[in-house]
Amino acid sequence: MLFRQAKWEEPIVFELSSFSKQTLLIDEEFANEASEALKRIPESLVRSSELKIPNLSEVEVVRHYNRLSQMSYGVDVGPVPLGSCTMKYNPKICEELASDPRVTELHPYQDEEEAQGILEIMYLMQRWLSEITGMDECSLQPPAGAAGEFVGALIIRKYHHDRGLNNKNEMIVPEAAHGSNPASSAMAGFKVVKIPTAPSGETDIEALKSVLSDNTAGLMLTNPNTLGIFESGIVEISDLIHEKSALMYYDGANLNGILGIVRPGDMGFDIVHLNLHKTFAAPHGGGGPGAGAVCVRKELIDYLPVPLVGFDGRSYKLRYDLSRTIGRVSWFYGNIVPIVKSFIYIAALGPALREVAEVSVLNTNYLMSKLRRMRGISLPYGENRWRKHEFVVSFENLLKETGVSAEDVAKALLDRGLHAPTIYFPLIVKEAHMIEVTETETKENIDRLAKAYEEIIELAYRDPQVVKSSPVNTSVKRLDVLVANHPRTLAPTYEHLRRLKSQEV
Ligand SMILES: Cc1ncc(COP(=O)(O)O)c(C=O)c1O
């Protein structure tokens, strides 16, 4: 399939519009009504300056966003095999039902009696996620996985504090963990203690034993881990942690590979976060919105963020009666739209949720078996182990033999109409590609991805410079990454961009 991405010299929406242009046509009667209504608003509340929002007609807006979408790539265009991100297809039925006005027009201050539908959805989600994780209660408040980790770390801190164990100030985190694990532990006031990965690709249990002490507050672990390998020693690990009166925290970002087959609660974990925007198909990328539900065992329910949703047999109510709560972490209902999308996804699949894990594991290992045989590619750690949701290969040999790096290969994938996988992560694998195709890619698409890798490698040995000049078919060609990421180039807001362009900064 030939790929040539559209390229528009598209200005940003603020530049496209002129603030003085009149696009809203209002009749005289409405104008009179509006000016009458305006008179009744206290003067102190009436805007005195012009409203600086883009001033465009409907057709201009539609064309602008369509042109932008032609220059971008997402899971509705083709596979996005970003390891650790679980970028699966987002079913449109979830989008459709979540855009029901009863969801989108719900006012956060609406009386609970009038919001029974949404409260029931939240209550059922608390129950279903508890069942899926093997925990006793869940809070839907955290807005992302990393926020869930922070909530979990705060719960661990308060739990030990309540027992007078103030010396428990160390959180153990594997060196291959996602960066948010040490970051959220440190933000909650813990000293982060790193442990290495054994050659088998699993947690090095001897290293774990050597750092355990009375200061250990908890262990943050994801299972299957960042290499996609299931920690077969998980029960021994959780026994070791519990013997020190410490708690087990489960980073649920990798749940896709074991969903409905094994539960974190049964592995010995005490606190779990789930990325609803990964495992349960709410769209993500580009910064959200996400939802990072946190689920806990009975003994920790009292520490959860409020409000939870309770049911008294007649109606659903927001519950604030948790005596040890770490407090609020979101406004109102949390990020309700992704929660509703995930609710629909779980309700639609029911017991077939298990097939998500089965097919995603099959897809992972099918692609891994093809890639690991290719010249220049190796499979570090746990050579004889099957992977779960993802796998990590190394292009170290390709780099040595041709000068083509993991980054060059990733860029060359873009030229073939494919999204690149996660690269250079985890740091324990040199020249890494971390690949997760999820259950939603067909065999044909996986074969297409494997074929693209094969072509790129063949080209790397024949004419490495061509690979190193990729991408050439995308709307934006090869970027100088240093310039692209430099604070002088990045413009997070329109105002900043305007100042950059007029050389004010
Ligand atoms: C293993 C792992 N843990 C935690 C996170 C953080 O999740 P979020 O991006 O929802 O904050 C991620 C995100 O990619 C992840 O891959």
Side-chain angles (χ1 to χ4, degrees):
M1 201 187 295
L2 191 66
F3 175 73
R4 295 273 184 274
Q5 196 167 32
K7 166 102 179 137
W8 297 89
E9 296 300 333
E10 189 69 11
I12 67 171
V13 73
F14 287 95
E15 293 169 327
L16 202 60
S17 93
S18 128
F19 291 119
S20 58
K21 190 169 75 179
Q22 180 76 45
T23 49
L24 181 65
L25 295 178
I26 50 174
D27 63 25
E28 210 174 316
E29 193 183 342
F30 180 78
N32 288 339
E33 272 177 31
S35 68
E36 276 308 306
L38 262 182
K39 281 184 203 146
R40 290 199 289 274
I41 298 175
E43 212 172 311
S44 61
L45 298 179
V46 176
R47 168 181 288 280
S48 52
S49 58
E50 220 180 305
L51 185 59
K52 289 239 166 186
I53 56 171
N55 204 347
L56 297 164
S57 66
E58 181 173 312
V59 64
E60 286 172 304
V61 172
V62 168
R63 286 182 183 158
H64 173 67
Y65 285 107
N66 266 315
R67 288 193 293 257
L68 288 183
S69 80
Q70 288 171 349
M71 288 195 290
S72 53
Y73 182 102
V75 80
D76 284 352
V77 176
V80 180
L82 274 181
S84 214
C85 289
T86 314
M87 301 291 290
K88 58 174 76 177
Y89 174 70
N90 312 122
K92 294 297 167 257
I93 184 72
C94 303
E95 298 293 322
E96 198 179 318
L97 296 180
S99 7
D100 187 299
R102 283 168 296 182
V103 178
T104 54
E105 287 173 19
L106 185 74
H107 194 279
Y109 281 126
Q110 203 150 334
D111 197 84
E112 283 176 24
E113 279 303 316
E114 293 168 6
Q116 286 293 297
I118 203 78
L119 292 178
E120 182 176 358
I121 287 178
M122 293 173 75
Y123 179 79
L124 287 174
M125 274 300 263
Q126 290 174 192
R127 300 273 51 79
W128 293 351
L129 297 180
S130 298
E131 177 60 32
I132 286 169
T133 54
M135 295 282 135
D136 294 302
E137 189 53 279
C138 300
S139 162
L140 306 176
Q141 288 273 306
E149 292 165 30
F150 184 52
V151 162
L154 291 178
I155 291 177
I156 294 175
R157 195 175 74 175
K158 196 159 183 176
Y159 174 81
H160 291 315
H161 180 79
D162 281 357
R163 274 152 193 75
L165 301 173
N166 291 328
N167 57 316
K168 291 206 163 288
N169 60 0
E170 291 181 357
M171 187 72 81
I172 304 176
V173 180
E175 63 179 344
H178 191 260
S180 55
N181 290 188
S184 44
S185 304
M187 274 176 69
F190 290 108
K191 179 178 157 208
V192 176
V193 177
K194 275 204 291 190
I195 47 168
T197 303
S200 63
E202 299 191 44
T203 298
D204 184 332
I205 297 193
E206 290 313 309
L208 172 64
K209 286 181 188 162
S210 72
V211 299
L212 277 174
S213 76
D214 288 342
N215 295 340
T216 306
L219 169 71
M220 267 200 180
L221 203 66
T222 172
N223 193 19
N225 63 27
T226 308
L227 295 167
I229 294 177
F230 189 84
E231 298 275 357
S232 58
I234 190 61
V235 175
E236 183 186 353
I237 292 174
S238 62
D239 286 348
L240 286 168
I241 295 295
H242 288 144
E243 274 162 26
K244 288 284 172 203
S245 306
L247 295 175
M248 290 281 290
Y249 182 90
Y250 183 82
D251 173 340
N254 298 339
L255 190 77
N256 215 54
I258 55 165
L259 187 62
I261 294 174
V262 57
R263 308 184 307 171
D266 302 332
M267 298 179 214
F269 286 93
D270 304 295
I271 310 176
V272 175
H273 89 248
L274 297 173
N275 303 61
L276 300 190
H277 45 286
K278 296 182 181 181
T279 319
F280 301 108
H284 66 129
V294 168
C295 306
V296 294
R297 281 193 196 289
K298 268 206 302 303
E299 307 75 48
L300 298 169
I301 296 177
D302 226 18
Y303 292 86
L304 282 172
V306 286
L308 297 182
V309 177
F311 181 57
D312 62 10
R314 196 190 67 83
S315 59
Y316 297 92
K317 292 203 161 35
L318 292 174
R319 284 185 51 197
Y320 292 90
D321 57 341
L322 306 184
S323 64
R324 304 304 305 148
T325 177
I326 59 148
R328 289 206 75 127
V329 295
S330 268
W331 293 106
F332 305 110
Y333 297 100
N335 274 351
I336 195 66
V337 174
I339 294 170
V340 172
K341 287 179 187 172
S342 297
F343 169 81
I344 298 158
Y345 178 79
I346 298 174
L349 287 182
L353 269 183
R354 185 189 167 96
E355 286 172 35
V356 166
E358 289 169 348
V359 179
S360 80
V361 171
L362 191 62
N363 282 355
T364 302
N365 288 290
Y366 175 65
L367 182 60
M368 181 179 85
S369 306
K370 288 187 160 232
L371 258 56
R372 69 182 301 186
R373 285 199 290 263
M374 293 179 191
R375 192 175 166 196
I377 295 188
S378 61
L379 180 70
Y381 294 97
E383 239 185 88
N384 303 318
R385 295 285 307 271
W386 293 113
R387 299 320 199 239
K388 295 286 181 266
H389 61 299
E390 69 192 5
F391 63 95
V392 184
V393 285
S394 168
F395 286 87
E396 201 182 356
N397 294 337
L398 186 78
L399 179 64
K400 274 190 206 135
E401 291 161 16
T402 66
V404 168
S405 66
E407 184 188 2
D408 299 325
V409 176
K411 303 255 190 227
L413 284 171
L414 307 184
D415 268 341
R416 286 153 179 83
L418 294 158
H419 198 285
T422 301
I423 59 173
Y424 298 108
F425 176 66
L427 300 179
I428 57 170
V429 175
K430 292 198 179 124
E431 294 299 314
H433 273 207
M434 180 193 237
I435 307 172
E436 178 176 11
V437 276
T438 83
E439 70 285 359
T440 59
E441 292 310 329
T442 58
K443 177 176 176 296
E444 289 69 25
N445 273 340
I446 299 173
D447 287 340
R448 202 177 128 217
L449 192 57
K451 180 109 190 10
Y453 270 107
E454 203 173 2
E455 276 173 24
I456 295 164
I457 289 171
E458 189 272 322
L459 194 57
Y461 282 100
R462 187 162 45 85
D463 195 349
Q465 210 39 51
V466 178
V467 182
K468 292 181 83 56
S469 318
S470 314
V472 293
N473 294 338
T474 46
S475 59
V476 177
K477 310 284 180 277
R478 183 96 175 188
L479 285 175
D480 180 332
V481 284
L482 277 183
V483 175
N485 287 297
H486 197 280
R488 282 200 189 282
T489 320
L490 289 174
T493 62
Y494 165 62
E495 262 314 306
H496 191 80
L497 180 73
R498 193 191 57 70
R499 278 189 254 123
L500 272 180
K501 284 191 172 174
S502 56
Q503 297 183 331
E504 285 171 39
V505 284

